[in-house]
Amino acid sequence: VCILAMILIGGSLALAAPQVTIADAPSAAGTWLTGSFFSTGGFGSYDVTGLGGLDVAKDLTIAPVARSLALSAGYSRVASGAPIATVADPVELQPEARKPIDITLAAVSGGGQRGVLEFGDGATLRTEAGGKLTLAASEALYVGGTLDAPGGSITLKLTKKAPEGAA
């Protein structure tokens, strides 16, 4: 493939579903996503919200890398409307040329369930240089693993309000 041009894949994906579990093995309840889910689809940011809770399995690693499309020689001679796959292939650029993938994981109360986000013991959530990681919960937030965003930002939010009159 002769690379004449690069297309940076981007965009964002927002997903809200009942009781989200991120694990390599299927979950018995709610919505199940694998750690590799964040490396597919070509999105530049992911916002996943568990209505009633979100759990990240212990010892799971989520470390997505942005991919781009390399246009091959002759792409300009392909008819308009042709599938992009006929003229371009996904490629992984060198780290200094890639954009980081931003990830937000959230848990909100709903359906009679508490908004608890549990980031399992030994789990790792990593983005590339300059990326943003956000964990948010409306009731409880537990981080037992590692959050890694070199040169970027890590935000932890707990939005539960203290009862009236509490100090």
Side-chain angles (χ1 to χ4, degrees):
V1 174
C2 173
I3 299 175
L4 294 177
M6 298 298 293
I7 299 173
L8 294 177
I9 299 173
S12 61
L13 174 70
L15 170 70
Q19 189 58 45
V20 174
T21 299
I22 303 171
D24 284 335
S27 170
T31 303
W32 169 55
L33 304 173
T34 63
S36 63
F37 168 81
F38 299 92
S39 296
T40 59
F43 295 104
S45 69
Y46 291 85
D47 186 341
V48 178
T49 301
L51 307 172
L54 188 146
D55 295 315
V56 176
K58 69 177 195 163
D59 300 321
L60 180 72
T61 296
I62 303 169
V65 173
R67 299 189 53 129
S68 298
L69 294 176
L71 298 175
S72 59
Y75 74 91
S76 63
R77 294 185 299 274
V78 175
S80 174
I84 192 75
T86 62
V87 296
D89 294 308
V91 296
E92 191 174 298
L93 299 175
Q94 293 298 316
E96 61 276 3
R98 291 193 294 252
K99 287 187 169 187
I101 294 176
D102 298 334
I103 299 176
T104 297
L105 303 178
V108 297
S109 300
Q113 298 202 22
R114 297 177 50 201
V116 176
L117 191 153
E118 185 168 343
F119 190 82
D121 294 339
T124 300
L125 178 57
R126 178 180 303 121
T127 189
E128 294 193 303
K132 298 175 188 169
L133 301 177
T134 302
L135 301 184
S138 62
E139 293 286 327
L141 175 60
Y142 171 78
V143 179
T146 302
L147 303 175
D148 186 15
S153 67
I154 298 173
T155 304
L156 303 176
K157 296 180 189 176
L158 183 58
T159 58
K160 182 177 181 177
K161 295 181 178 162
E164 287 290 321

